């Protein structure tokens, strides 16, 4: 059975994308592996490689996950030394933590398993970053959250948004 590499994410609109790009570009020289503009996103839940015939079931279960609007403030630049990524992140508002918990429960019902690491909202800006990046001063970016997306990662191609769920759109579509 072929597999598809999937994750749930907040996918930025053009305004938020431009805001992320402006902050990413404050770090211009931290590595050569800058995440391209079109791939910038914030992962909510990484599903990994799933059998291709499960995408329908994953989307069907996600239909029952309610989204409440909230605002996510991205106010810091950080670094995960093991993953070697520099990121733009912030503290999750309660509604966003609930969304991630609900997505996890929904996917657990499909017998998908996840690591136990807590959700740390971040947009990866650069990969292969071997040293702590500088921390330039910048204006926080307020991201109004009103939905989430199921996204596919195919090696060597831009991430592909398969489907988006928005506030008030619970139910079959
Ligand atoms: P990252 O940006 O912090 O590397 C697609 O690969 C997305 O899924 C990326 O945002 C990536 O996070 C995330 N991701 C990849 N592997 C992961 C894993 N094992 N656990 C959690 N998130 C992962």
């Amino acid at each position: 059975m072929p597999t598809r590499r999937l994750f749930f994410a907040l996918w930025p609109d053009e305004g938020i994308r431009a805001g992320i790009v402006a902050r990413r570009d404050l770090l211009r020289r931290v590595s050569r592996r800058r995440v391209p503009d079109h791939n910038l996103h914030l992962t909510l839940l990484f599903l990994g490689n799933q059998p291709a015939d499960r995408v329908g079931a994953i989307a069907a279960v996600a239909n029952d996950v309610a989204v409440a609007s909230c605002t996510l403030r991205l106010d810091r630049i950080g670094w995960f030394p093991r993953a070697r990524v520099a990121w733009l992140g912030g503290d999750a508002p309660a509604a966003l933590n609930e969304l991630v918990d609900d997505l996890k429960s929904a996917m657990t019902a499909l017998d998908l398993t996840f690591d136990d690491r807590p959700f740390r909202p971040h947009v990866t800006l650069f990969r292969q970053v071997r040293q702590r990046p500088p921390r330039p001063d910048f204006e926080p970016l307020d991201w109004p959250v009103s939905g989430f997306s199921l996204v596919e990662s195919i090696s060597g191609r831009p991430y592909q948004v398969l489907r988006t769920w928005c506030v008030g759109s619970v139910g079959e579509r």
Side-chain angles (χ1 to χ4, degrees):
M1 166 64 64
T3 59
R4 297 173 74 175
R5 190 175 172 87
L6 304 171
F7 56 100
F8 286 106
L10 301 182
W11 199 256
D13 65 17
E14 288 313 309
I16 295 298
R17 186 180 306 282
I20 297 167
V21 165
R23 288 154 183 86
R24 180 198 64 194
D25 290 350
L26 297 172
L27 295 185
R28 209 158 304 168
R29 282 183 285 276
V30 298
S31 90
R32 291 185 180 177
R33 292 281 311 281
R34 185 180 74 172
V35 176
D37 299 9
H38 58 258
N39 275 349
L40 292 164
H41 68 278
L42 189 145
T43 297
L44 297 173
L45 186 63
F46 181 70
L47 304 182
N49 291 320
Q50 298 297 329
D53 65 1
R54 295 209 86 189
V55 177
I58 288 167
V61 167
N63 274 343
D64 293 329
V65 172
V67 198
S69 334
C70 60
T71 301
L72 171 62
R73 171 161 284 204
L74 301 176
D75 60 3
R76 69 201 76 142
I77 281 172
W79 180 50
F80 292 151
R82 255 210 227 157
R84 293 189 181 141
V85 300
W87 46 260
L88 175 67
D91 294 324
L96 194 60
N97 279 323
E98 278 163 29
L99 172 59
V100 171
D101 287 346
D102 289 353
L103 281 169
K104 259 190 197 172
S105 310
M107 296 302 126
T108 304
L110 292 175
D111 285 334
L112 272 60
T113 52
F114 311 100
D115 58 37
D116 282 335
R117 279 178 292 182
F119 171 52
R120 294 187 63 188
H122 67 278
V123 179
T124 294
L125 305 174
F126 287 86
R127 299 191 184 279
Q128 298 297 322
V129 179
R130 286 158 199 281
Q131 287 181 338
R132 183 179 296 283
R135 295 190 175 184
D137 282 333
F138 64 89
E139 189 85 2
L141 177 64
D142 284 332
W143 186 339
V145 175
S146 57
F148 64 92
S149 299
L150 178 63
V151 186
E152 179 168 14
S153 164
I154 303 175
S155 181
R157 292 207 220 154
Y159 293 134
Q160 179 88 35
V161 175
L162 301 179
R163 194 140 160 203
T164 296
W165 289 262
C166 294
V167 170
S169 65
V170 172
E172 194 59 47
R173 92 230 49 223

